[in-house]
Amino acid sequence: MDKNLINELVSLLGKDNVLTSKEDKINYSYDATPDVQRYEPDVIVTPASKEDVIRLVKIAAKHKIPLVTRGAGTNLSGGTIPVDGGIVLSMLNLDRIIEVDSANLTATVEPGLVIQRLNEAAAAYGLIYPPDPGTVTTATMGGSVSECSGGLRGLKYGVTKDYVMGLEIVMPDGEVIHTGGKTVKNVSGYDLTKLFTGSEGTLGIITEIIVKLIPAPKFRRSMLVIFDNLDNAGKTIADIISNKVIPATLEIMDNVTIRTVENYSKIGLPVDAEAVLVIEVDGSIENVVLNEFETVKSICTGNGAVSVKLAESDADRDAIFAARRAALPALAQVKPTTILEDATVPRSRIPEMLKAIKTIGEKYKIRIGTFGHAGDGNLHPTILTDESDKEEMERVHKAIDEIFSTAINLGGTLSGEHGIGMAKSKYMEMQFGKSGMDVMKKIKQALDPDNIMNPGKVFWRG
Amino acid sequence: MTVYDSIDEVRDELLKCMKCGNCMEVCPVYIETKKEGSVARGKIRLIDALLNGDLDYTEGLEERIGLCLTCMACVAKCPCGVKVDKIIFGARAAIVKNRGLHPVKKAIFSVVKRPKLFNLGMIAGSKLQGLAFKKHVSVTGAHPRFPFGLDMRRIIPPLAAKPLRSQLPEVIKVPNPVKKAAFFTGCSMNFLYADAGLALVEVLKKNNVELTVPKEQHCCGMPLLAHGDAETVLQMAKSHVDIFSKLDVEHIITVCGSGGTMFQHHYVDMLKDDPEYAEKARRVADKIIDISDYIVTVIGLDESKLGTLNMTVTYHDPCHLNRGMGVKDSPRIILKKIPGLKFVEMKNADRCCGSAGSFSLTHYDLSMDIHRHKSDAIKATEADAVTTGCGSCIMQLADGMNRFNMNLPVYYTIQILAKSYEAKEMEKKQKS
Ligand SMILES: Cc1cc2nc3c(=O)[nH]c(=O)nc-3n(C[C@H](O)[C@H](O)[C@H](O)COP(=O)(O)OP(=O)(O)OC[C@H]3O[C@@H](n4cnc5c(N)ncnc54)[C@H](O)[C@@H]3O)c2cc1C
C-alpha cells in the first residue's frame, strides 16, 4: 500500500491506531472459520468514533481500497478475512452503551460492544436482550447484527433481526444514514434495517444500533430427555410444538455427540442413546410454566423416551445445560480440525436431516457429530477431521457439498446463523438460482458500485 | 524432547486451537488492549507463522509474546484444552535462544541463579535499601530512588531485616510430631515477607508438625522461565529435586502458587526425558501442597484453636495457586471458620491482579490498568483487609492500594489464621 496513504491514515488516527507490522497483518488475516485460506490486509486501523469511521471510508472510497469491518472475529464463514487485502477496521474501540431506555424497552449501543455487556446493563432494569449465540461473551453487537446471529433461544424468542429496530450506517461513499428507530410500528419506506441486518459488512459500516429489550422471564423449568430411537425424538419435537408449547430451548444431540460428550466430561449420559433433547420452558406466570412443563413431560414419555431427567434445582439445571454446552468443546478435542456447519431445515424435517447426515458421514468415511437447535431446525453437523490430511479433506468437502444440497432439498437453507462469507458463497446459486442472485448483486452494485465493502464475500467468484 | 529443547514441540498444542476466540473473554491483557496480537488466539497464530516460516524471530514477535501474564485464564476457558502457558514459555525460550536475553534481565538473572550470591545481595540490600529506595508513606513500601532498568514508579516493599531462612533452624522440632513436612519458602516470603513465614511456622508448631527448612533451597525459577531462560531453570529444577528428594518428609509445603506450580508441573515437564531425574521429579511433585490445603486437608482445621477476629476480609485468588495448583476452596474454608470474621467474596476474585511477577516491572502502566479492575472489586466489598496466597500478588495489591488511594492491609491467609490463634491465646489468658 502507498506510503502516502498510510501517512494519511496516521495523521487521521494517530500512530497507535494504524497497524502495519507483519505481525499485525498475520493477526488480522483469519477469524474463527476453519479450513479457509488466510489473507493479510495491508493495514489495520482502530477507529474510536463515528467521525473516524466516516473519514476512513472517504479515504478508502477516494482510492477504491477494500474495507473489511471486523468485530471480535468469531464468525464461522470467513466474513472478516481480507481476501483482497486493503484496510481492516477493528471496531472494538466503539464500545459504548449509549442508553438503556426502559420506558421504550430499547437500548442504543455502539457496534464494538460485546453482547454480554448489553445483557449486564439491561439486567439492572429487569430486561434481557435474547439473542445469545455461543459466543455471547466475546462477539460484538456489530458482528452479530451483521451475521444476524441466532442462539439457543431462537425458537421462542427469535434471532437478532427480530430485535434490531434501527441502525446508523456509514455508506460506502462516507454518507451517513439512519434506518428504523425506537417505534414498534414503522412502515415508512423500504425496511433498510432488515436489509443491513445480516449483510455481513458488504453494504456499509454500522456505527450505532438500536435494539429491542424484553422483560426477563421469571420462571423456568428444564429437563434432559433420552431416546433410543431418532424418530421418537423427532416426533417429540413435532408434538411439543403442535401442542402449542413453545420452549425457550429445545436442543438435540446425536449419538456421536453423546458419546463424545460422555467420554469428555463423564456426566452419565447413556452412550448407546440415539438422541438427547435438552428442553426448557419459561415465562412470567408460574402456573403456565408448570403446566407447559407437565405437557412436555407427558409428550416425552408418550413418545417412548427412555428417561426424563427433571431439573429440581439450579444446580440440576446447570448440569443439564453443561451437557449441551460441552457438545462443541468435546467434539473439538477429538481431531485437530473441527468444521462446524449450520445447515437448517424446517423443524418437521429434523429426523430426516439427521439420518441423511449420518448416511453422508458413512458414505465418505468421515466422523460427524450433530447437535443443534432442534426447535428451530438449525443443526450443527460438526465434522471432525485434520486439515493436513489432503485425501480426507477431499472427502470432507464432498460430504459438505452433499449436506448443503440435502438441506436445500428438504426445503431448508445453507446457513441458519453463521452467514455465507467466503466459505459458503459457492452454494448460493444452488439455493437462490441465477435470478435470485441477480437481485442481490443489483442491490450490492447500487449501494457499493466500487465494491470496496468486504469484497469477495456472499457472492461466489469462481 | 521438551518445548524448551525445541519450539517444534508446541506444534501439537497449536493444532488444537480452533480459533474460536473464547480466550478473548478472560484475557486481562486483551481486555485492555483490544488487539488480536495480545490474546492467546493471536499469539498462537504468530507462533504458527513462525513455525511455518511466514515470520521470523522479530522484535515484534518478542514484544507480543512478552505481553502475557501466564495467568492461565485462557487455559481454564479454552474448549479445546490448549495449554497456552506451555506454548508461551516454550516460545519465550526459543526467542531467548534466537535473540538473546534482554540485558537488564540478564544481569538480574545471573545473580538469581547463584543462590549464595542472591542471598548475599538480598541481605546487603536489606541494609542498604535506605540508599536505593525512598520510603513511601501510606504503605510499607518504597520507590526505587535510582534507576536500574525497571520502572521507577513501582513501590517496592522493604526487604526483611533478616531473611526468613536465616531466622530459622534447618529442622524445627516439636515435642510429639504428628507429621513431617518440608517448607519451600520461595523468594518473596524469604526476603520480603519473613513475618508471614514466622506466622506459618507458629501455626504448624501448634499443630505438632515437624518442619524442615532446607538451607540450600533457592529461587524456584519461575521469573526466569517467564522470560525464556529455560536453560538456567533446568539447572535449578535438578538442584531442587535433589534437595527435596533427600528429605524424609510426607509433604513439601509451598506458600506461593508460582513456586508450587514450578515443582508440581514445570520441573516434571522439563525433566520428563531425563533418565536420572524424571521419576525423582515426579515423586517430589507428588508431595507438593499449598499451606492452606495442608491445613484443611492434611492436618485438619482445629476449630478449638481459633479465637475471634472482628474484621471483614476478602480473598484474591492468585493465578498459579488457583489455576496452576487447583487451590481455591481451602483459603476460603479457613477464613470462613474464624469466629467473628466476616468473609466477603469480591467480584472476579480469580482474575489476575496484573502482577505476574516481573511483568509489573516491565509493563508497569498496563499492569496497573489491569490492576484497576482488582482494586475496584476490592473497594466494592468494603472489607477491612485483603488476603491472598502469593507474595507477588501481595506486592502488587500493596502497590495498587497506593496507586488507587486505598489503605487496606494485605495479608497471607496464613497470617490471619495465626492472628486467630493468637486471639485464642489472649482469650484463654483473660479467662484465667
Ligand atoms: C464457538 C462458536 C460458537 C458460535 N455460536 C454461534 C451461535 O450459537 N449462533 C450464531 O448465530 N453464531 C455463532 N457463532 C458465530 C459468531 O460468533 C457470530 O456470528 C458472531 O455474532 C460474530 O460476531 P463478531 O463480533 O465476532 O463478528 P466478526 O466475526 O468480527 O464479523 C462478522 C461479520 O460482521 C461484519 N461486521 C462486524 N462489525 C461490523 C460493523 N460494525 N458494521 C458492518 N459489518 C460488520 C464483518 O465484516 C463480518 O462479515 C459461533 C462462533 C463460534 C466460534
Side-chain angles (χ1 to χ4, degrees):
Chain A
M1 185 174 278
D2 186 19
K3 191 101 192 83
N4 289 331
L5 198 78
I6 301 284
N7 290 340
E8 203 175 339
L9 295 175
V10 170
S11 63
L12 176 63
L13 298 171
K15 189 159 81 359
D16 288 346
N17 293 312
V18 180
L19 317 177
T20 53
S21 74
K22 176 69 182 170
E23 294 83 6
D24 290 317
K25 288 178 187 174
I26 292 173
N27 278 144
Y28 292 85
S29 67
Y30 56 84
D31 48 36
T33 317
D35 189 29
V36 287
Q37 200 184 325
R38 32 177 220 100
Y39 293 88
E40 293 176 11
D42 295 302
V43 56
I44 303 97
V45 294
T46 54
S49 67
K50 172 175 80 179
E51 289 68 35
D52 285 350
V53 175
I54 295 170
R55 286 187 214 115
L56 279 166
V57 173
K58 286 195 169 146
I59 294 175
K62 189 170 80 192
H63 302 281
K64 300 198 180 20
I65 299 166
L67 275 175
V68 180
T69 314
R70 182 178 170 111
T74 68
N75 77 86
L76 292 165
S77 45
T80 45
I81 299 178
V83 288
D84 291 346
I87 305 174
V88 165
L89 264 94
S90 170
M91 300 297 279
L92 297 174
N93 289 337
L94 277 83
D95 64 348
R96 284 182 310 148
I97 296 175
I98 295 162
E99 63 162 13
V100 174
D101 179 347
S102 61
N104 285 308
L105 296 184
T106 64
T108 307
V109 303
E110 290 188 330
L113 184 78
V114 171
I115 307 169
Q116 185 63 15
R117 300 287 95 76
L118 172 57
N119 275 313
E120 286 159 9
Y125 299 88
L127 301 171
I128 58 168
Y129 173 69
D132 61 343
T135 45
V136 65
T137 54
T138 52
T140 65
M141 289 298 293
S144 59
V145 168
S146 301
E147 297 288 4
C148 186
S149 298
L152 255 54
R153 296 188 282 203
L155 169 61
K156 180 169 182 176
Y157 293 105
V159 297
T160 302
K161 68 179 172 204
D162 302 309
Y163 293 86
V164 183
M165 299 180 74
L167 295 171
E168 175 184 83
I169 299 150
V170 178
M171 295 301 291
D173 57 2
E175 292 302 311
V176 178
I177 67 162
H178 293 90
T179 75
K182 280 191 186 178
T183 58
V184 173
K185 296 182 175 177
N186 187 338
V187 294
S188 316
Y190 295 143
D191 190 346
L192 296 181
T193 310
K194 283 271 193 303
L195 173 65
F196 280 90
T197 303
S199 66
E200 304 189 17
T202 60
L203 301 178
I205 297 172
I206 299 169
T207 47
E208 215 172 279
I209 304 163
I210 305 172
V211 292
K212 176 168 89 177
L213 303 174
I214 63 167
K218 291 197 186 72
F219 304 97
R220 60 187 183 198
R221 294 302 298 264
S222 339
M223 64 178 102
L224 182 137
V225 194
I226 294 162
F227 291 91
D228 57 5
N229 171 311
L230 208 52
D231 287 315
N232 291 351
K235 187 154 183 309
T236 303
I237 297 167
D239 286 355
I240 292 172
I241 312 283
S242 61
N243 274 279
K244 302 184 184 54
V245 176
I246 309 288
T249 299
L250 178 42
E251 296 283 307
I252 192 165
M253 295 195 278
D254 76 347
N255 175 267
V256 176
T257 310
I258 296 167
R259 274 173 195 276
T260 318
V261 167
E262 185 51 29
N263 182 39
Y264 167 78
S265 52
K266 307 269 178 288
I267 41 182
L269 296 177
V271 291
D272 48 358
E274 276 302 311
V276 161
L277 296 181
V278 171
I279 309 172
E280 180 167 278
V281 291
D282 71 1
S284 288
I285 302 165
E286 191 167 17
N287 263 338
V288 175
V289 175
L290 289 177
N291 281 340
E292 289 190 347
F293 187 64
E294 287 306 319
T295 309
V296 172
K297 207 167 82 184
S298 59
I299 292 171
C300 291
T301 20
N303 278 316
V306 186
S307 104
V308 182
K309 267 186 213 153
L310 309 179
E312 305 288 352
S313 62
D314 277 354
D316 285 357
R317 177 188 186 266
D318 289 348
I320 287 176
F321 275 79
R324 164 61 183 86
R325 265 196 295 271
L328 183 57
L331 290 167
Q333 300 217 0
V334 177
K335 294 269 240 142
T337 308
T338 308
I339 302 180
L340 184 68
E341 289 302 349
D342 77 324
T344 301
V345 295
R347 76 171 76 84
S348 61
R349 315 295 293 265
I350 288 258
E352 276 169 88
M353 187 66 194
L354 281 171
K355 282 185 212 159
I357 293 170
K358 201 171 159 193
T359 315
I360 293 168
E362 283 160 7
K363 178 171 165 194
Y364 293 103
K365 299 193 183 55
I366 53 173
R367 198 138 155 216
I368 311 181
T370 304
F371 61 93
H373 321 300
D376 52 38
N378 180 200
L379 292 177
H380 292 309
T382 305
I383 301 173
L384 315 179
T385 179
D386 183 350
E387 257 176 275
S388 61
D389 183 342
K390 293 275 168 306
E391 187 273 328
E392 178 165 300
M393 288 312 285
E394 257 171 51
R395 283 182 279 125
V396 167
H397 294 143
K398 282 190 190 137
I400 293 175
D401 289 352
E402 220 168 301
I403 290 174
F404 285 136
S405 56
T406 309
I408 289 170
N409 288 337
L410 291 172
T413 179
L414 298 170
S415 174
E417 54 181 19
H418 294 168
I420 300 302
M422 62 192 271
K424 272 169 272 189
S425 58
K426 90 169 178 196
Y427 306 103
M428 283 289 276
E429 196 160 317
M430 178 161 86
Q431 180 169 346
F432 294 100
K434 194 172 170 310
S435 45
M437 287 315 293
D438 277 348
V439 171
M440 287 195 217
K441 253 180 223 157
K442 279 182 196 157
I443 294 173
K444 167 78 175 165
Q445 272 156 9
L447 298 182
D448 180 21
D450 292 322
N451 193 25
I452 60 169
M453 290 288 167
N454 210 358
K457 308 297 162 64
V458 182
F459 302 98
W460 177 238
R461 283 177 164 175
Chain B
M1 200 75 127
T2 71
V3 296
Y4 307 106
D5 300 322
S6 162
I7 180 76
D8 275 326
E9 293 296 302
V10 302
R11 219 179 266 274
D12 283 348
E13 284 303 320
L14 300 182
L15 276 177
K16 282 198 222 156
C17 170
M18 66 168 187
K19 300 184 293 182
C20 67
N22 281 7
C23 41
M24 291 186 285
E25 180 189 352
V26 293
C27 176
V29 177
Y30 172 80
I31 289 169
E32 302 305 318
T33 66
K34 300 193 184 111
K35 299 224 164 88
E36 182 76 23
S38 45
V39 76
R41 173 174 76 169
K43 295 181 178 117
I44 288 174
R45 281 2 283 167
L46 290 177
I47 298 167
D48 188 59
L50 177 76
L51 293 182
N52 292 335
D54 290 347
L55 185 68
D56 268 339
Y57 282 99
T58 56
E59 192 181 335
L61 178 72
E62 178 171 359
E63 215 174 87
R64 284 164 183 78
I65 301 301
L67 272 184
C68 170
L69 303 156
T70 66
C71 74
M72 301 168 75
C74 54
V75 179
K77 186 85 202 171
C78 180
C80 305
V82 180
K83 298 201 182 77
V84 184
D85 52 334
K86 195 168 158 183
I87 296 177
I88 295 291
F89 287 144
R92 287 181 181 172
I95 289 169
V96 166
K97 267 189 227 155
N98 282 276
R99 296 181 53 85
L101 197 59
H102 187 281
V104 175
K105 291 175 191 164
K106 198 167 175 176
I108 298 176
F109 294 159
S110 69
V111 177
V112 173
K113 76 180 171 202
R114 276 173 288 167
K116 288 242 171 65
L117 196 57
F118 185 41
N119 245 320
L120 266 176
M122 283 298 208
I123 293 167
S126 77
K127 303 225 165 76
L128 300 175
Q129 58 183 323
L131 293 176
F133 298 99
K134 58 179 193 280
K135 281 258 188 258
H136 192 273
V137 280
S138 72
V139 282
T140 47
H143 284 297
R145 191 173 281 168
F146 303 121
F148 46 98
L150 301 171
D151 201 289
M152 292 288 289
R153 289 159 297 173
R154 188 82 171 86
I155 295 262
I156 310 279
L159 297 174
K162 266 181 104 186
L164 173 64
R165 291 198 295 268
S166 71
Q167 301 184 51
L168 297 172
E170 188 141 13
V171 179
I172 302 166
K173 294 272 183 207
V174 289
N176 299 304
V178 291
K179 298 259 180 260
K180 284 181 171 182
F183 178 19
F184 174 70
T185 66
C187 293
S188 45
M189 198 177 266
N190 188 46
F191 292 116
L192 304 174
Y193 304 114
D195 287 352
L198 296 176
L200 176 143
V201 169
E202 275 316 299
V203 168
L204 291 183
K205 262 192 200 161
K206 292 200 177 111
N207 284 286
N208 297 323
V209 176
E210 181 183 298
L211 204 58
T212 306
V213 195
K215 288 274 183 233
E216 305 159 83
Q217 62 176 295
H218 45 82
C219 168
C220 67
M222 178 63 92
L224 283 74
L225 190 63
H227 290 285
D229 188 0
E231 235 167 89
T232 308
V233 181
L234 188 67
Q235 301 313 315
M236 297 170 118
K238 286 183 182 170
S239 155
H240 266 155
V241 169
D242 283 335
I243 293 169
F244 283 92
S245 53
K246 294 201 293 243
L247 306 175
D248 170 31
V249 292
E250 294 126 13
H251 295 94
I252 302 165
I253 294 171
T254 56
V255 285
C256 62
S258 299
T261 305
M262 286 302 286
F263 276 85
Q264 248 182 5
H265 304 295
H266 298 296
Y267 290 173
V268 176
D269 200 35
M270 296 182 106
L271 295 168
K272 71 179 191 315
D273 301 324
D274 186 312
E276 191 191 337
Y277 280 95
E279 181 53 34
K280 244 167 124 182
R282 219 168 303 128
R283 274 201 306 266
V284 168
D286 286 345
K287 290 186 180 176
I288 292 288
I289 186 165
D290 177 65
I291 181 64
S292 63
D293 264 359
Y294 188 74
I295 285 168
V296 173
T297 65
V298 178
I299 54 179
L301 186 61
D302 179 358
E303 290 182 48
S304 71
K305 293 191 172 67
L306 302 178
T308 303
L309 293 182
N310 288 315
M311 61 197 297
T312 305
V313 169
T314 188
Y315 177 76
H316 159 70
D317 283 296
C319 298
H320 291 168
L321 188 59
N322 172 22
R323 286 178 288 269
M325 299 178 73
V327 178
K328 192 174 176 64
D329 296 337
S330 292
R332 292 176 168 81
I333 292 173
I334 294 172
L335 293 170
K336 285 178 185 167
K337 277 274 156 65
I338 293 175
L341 186 148
K342 186 171 161 220
F343 178 76
V344 188
E345 195 72 67
M346 71 172 85
K347 195 176 156 205
N348 299 329
D350 63 355
R351 190 185 200 274
C352 182
C353 65
S355 164
S358 47
F359 184 91
S360 56
L361 301 174
T362 49
H363 300 85
Y364 187 66
D365 285 324
L366 181 56
S367 163
M368 274 296 139
D369 287 346
I370 293 168
H371 189 73
R372 179 185 293 276
H373 300 268
K374 185 58 60 180
S375 66
D376 286 349
I378 293 171
K379 204 176 257 170
T381 63
E382 296 182 357
D384 315 317
V386 186
T387 59
T388 187
C390 164
S392 167
C393 300
I394 291 186
M395 228 190 290
Q396 176 84 344
L397 288 162
D399 194 20
M401 294 292 166
N402 169 62
R403 187 75 191 250
F404 300 115
N405 297 319
M406 288 162 67
N407 237 329
L408 309 194
V410 188
Y411 299 108
Y412 283 93
T413 313
I414 189 75
Q415 286 177 288
I416 302 285
L417 183 63
K419 275 185 204 288
S420 172
Y421 275 28
E422 278 167 30
K424 188 72 183 188
E425 302 284 310
M426 294 288 281
E427 286 163 25
K428 274 193 208 151
K429 264 188 212 145
Q430 271 161 9
K431 261 189 208 145
S432 60

